[in-house]
Amino acid sequence: MLAVASMAFLVAYAVRVLVPDLPQAALDLCLAVTMAAWALFAVDYAVRWRLSGQGRRFVRRHLLDTVVLILPLLRPLRIVKVYETVQRRHGQPRLPLHGRVMAYSGLSTLLLGFTGALAVFQQERDAPGTTMPTFGDAVWWTCATLTTVGYGDVAPVTPLGRLIAVGVMMIGLALLAAVTGTFASWLLQVFAREDDERPPGS
């Protein structure tokens, strides 16, 4: 249910941003879907908090759920968590730890990159002096920012757009560090196994 709500939120938000010329009734429907998805997450969070009996510790132990509730644009991250749960329920073989970290980091990057591009484009497209008149410009900026390249040819000019940019930069650094660290750890394990398999004295 939460995965469906996450996808519905992402689709409805994307339609509102990318197709602003739709009839008002359709735009209102998309807004209602996004608000309903937010309400569903709030109810789920409140019920689990109530049943846990952990008080304030629940917030610290479920930090991702807390952040998603406060920042709706991070809601698609729930898809990654739900995908892991579905795999376990169907008895499907799980990837090794290193593979899961890199796979889920990649999926998270795609989801966050898309929502970040939508959010910054919504703020920047009509701003005076904008460098993002099209969604393609916003996608280019998001890719450059997430990869920490930062060409500087496209940049947000509005206060809220720059605030979103800070969040995208932090996410990019965190994901890059996670993937790089995991890949380095995997290489060390591979080389350690090769050393262990060598005949003595070789």
Side-chain angles (χ1 to χ4, degrees):
M1 178 64 73
L2 294 179
V4 173
S6 299
M7 286 301 301
F9 168 85
L10 185 57
V11 171
Y13 181 63
V15 169
R16 289 185 62 218
V17 174
L18 299 178
V19 196
D21 297 331
L22 283 176
Q24 189 60 42
L27 295 176
D28 291 342
L29 176 60
C30 291
L31 179 59
V33 170
T34 58
M35 296 303 294
W38 196 350
L40 180 61
F41 274 85
V43 170
D44 172 74
Y45 186 88
V47 170
R48 289 190 294 116
W49 189 353
R50 176 76 175 179
L51 295 178
S52 70
Q54 297 176 358
R56 296 181 179 178
R57 289 178 299 173
F58 180 87
V59 177
R60 295 194 299 270
R61 294 182 179 180
H62 298 81
L63 188 58
L64 175 60
D65 295 332
T66 305
V67 172
V68 165
L69 184 63
I70 297 173
L71 300 174
L73 288 178
L74 299 182
R75 198 168 297 151
L77 282 179
R78 291 285 308 191
I79 298 172
V80 179
K81 186 176 181 180
V82 172
Y83 173 73
E84 171 83 359
T85 304
V86 170
Q87 275 196 317
R88 288 200 302 266
R89 287 182 179 177
H90 288 274
Q92 297 179 2
R94 301 172 71 191
L95 292 171
L97 177 60
H98 299 97
R100 276 183 319 201
V101 171
M102 288 188 283
Y104 295 156
S105 295
L107 180 57
S108 299
T109 301
L110 289 176
L111 291 171
L112 291 171
F114 183 62
T115 54
L118 286 172
V120 78
F121 177 60
Q122 185 180 29
Q123 302 300 320
E124 297 291 318
R125 59 184 170 190
D126 296 324
T130 181
T131 58
M132 299 183 200
T134 68
F135 183 63
D137 294 324
V139 172
W140 166 252
W141 169 83
T142 305
C143 292
T145 303
L146 280 174
T147 55
T148 68
V149 175
Y151 283 105
D153 55 338
V154 179
V157 297
T158 64
L160 188 53
R162 289 175 176 174
L163 182 61
I164 295 171
V166 171
V168 173
M169 292 174 195
M170 294 175 64
I171 291 169
L173 287 172
L175 291 174
L176 183 63
V179 173
T180 304
T182 302
F183 183 67
S185 176
W186 174 74
L187 285 178
L188 288 174
Q189 288 190 6
V190 170
F191 293 150
R193 283 198 301 267
E194 290 179 352
D195 289 341
D196 293 338
E197 292 171 0
R198 288 178 182 174
S202 62

